[in-house]
Amino acid sequence: MIKKIAVLNGDGIGPEVTSQSVNILKAIAEQYGHQFEFKYALIGADAIDKTGNPLPTETIDICLDSDAILFGAIGHPKYDNDPTAKVRPEQGLLGLRKALQLYANIRPVTTYPTLHFLSPLKSKNIEEVDFVIYRELTGGIYFGKKTLSDDGQTASDDCAYTKTEIERVAQLAFKAAQQRRKKLTLVDKANVLETSRLWRKIVQEISSQYSDVTVEYLFVDNAAMQIILNPKQFDVILTENMFGDIISDEASVISGSLGLLPSASVGNRTALFEPIHGSYPQAAGKDIANPIGSILSAAMLLDHLDLKAEAALVRNAVAWTINNKFVTKDIDPINFYFTTTVGELVIDFIKKNFAERIHDENIELRKSTII
Ligand code: IPM
Ligand code: MN
């Protein structure tokens, strides 16, 4: 199989985690006789520095001409601390979502028994947690009209949704629920917001097409609490853009580290795969960032290309590294492995030469032990 993959490294730790995923995709291609052609393009603060534009036209063209996009991270502190900045790295990602009509952002939340100790929740509450968030990604308050009055005293952000925008992401979420444990929870604020009442009405209508799926409705404030109190109850969560942004970061801590979670953004054009973590500038260039969120995003990319066995192998390799405590500093601050070493170990597993190397002093040597 020949596939074109656009690689958008972006900012901070984006380049270093993405390069692990690219190496892993190369190993998969070799193992299974595929040909992946990687094309690099600029985005975010990196693109602003080099071109003045967080989303150069060339980047959109490369993405549109690809079969999938592997995305790193976006954001830089120099913009975060300057609310007056007119050009911002995030505009690159938001613009790309809009240009590619990536209307559904899919964020699976899974846990690893060996990492339960890292979670702020009690072990008994996180065993068997396995849910997925379907977040609407190209509408709502993120993309509504924004105003700032001339005197700088009043600002507004409109939140608008159309029936079509709700329907298309809801359809995907219902289909996912059918393939899973057949439960869908719509998270909204229908006691206050008109847009939420429209979400509820449309989801109620669609639910009649999916009689095997049980639908529940939760207000977002309650949902935020339930995710901490009893995360096991969830299967598929469907929600609008802003609520999805907030609860997916919240849900990520259940796994123990934000660095572990992947995501897929899909729509009418090329799909995009990215870890849910941000650019983590403090760790950039230190070879300490957790590459697993990106590597699992690459697994979602393989699934999307219908390479199911390949995707499963990457996930097994990741589980093997975690179970053997080949983990980065965010997970084990004392006995940790470097970003590149974790990537290499995943490749070793894929190439099935881990058996020799696991006892190899090489691995020990590359472990960073702070005593
Ligand atoms: C995310 C990020 C983005 C968002 C930012 C970087 C614009 O937080 O992908 O969740 O808010 O959507
Ligand atoms: Mn976010």
Side-chain angles (χ1 to χ4, degrees), residues 107 135 142 245 248-249 276:
R107 297 186 163 181
R135 166 188 175 195
Y142 270 61
D245 180 47
S248 61
D249 264 33
I276 85 156

Side-chain angles (χ1 to χ4, degrees), residues 74 90 93-94 97 107 135 137 142 241 245 249 274:
I74 211 158
E90 289 78 8
L93 181 56
L94 298 175
R97 288 174 181 168
R107 297 186 163 181
R135 166 188 175 195
L137 203 59
Y142 270 61
N241 203 344
D245 180 47
D249 264 33
E274 61 168 319

Side-chain angles (χ1 to χ4, degrees), residues 72-85:
I74 211 158
H76 192 285
K78 75 180 170 202
Y79 301 96
D80 295 344
N81 301 330
D82 178 9
T84 62

Side-chain angles (χ1 to χ4, degrees), residues 133-152:
I133 300 172
Y134 274 68
R135 166 188 175 195
E136 199 290 326
L137 203 59
T138 49
I141 197 167
Y142 270 61
F143 291 95
K145 188 172 161 226
K146 299 177 191 308
T147 67
L148 178 64
S149 64
D150 289 342
D151 64 2

Side-chain angles (χ1 to χ4, degrees), residues 4 13 45 119 127 214 216 222 238 248 250 257 321 335 356:
K4 290 193 236 174
I13 58 169
S119 175
E127 275 154 20
T214 307
E216 278 187 1
N222 186 15
L238 168 64
S248 61
E250 183 195 7
S257 171
T321 59
N335 292 306
E356 299 142 40

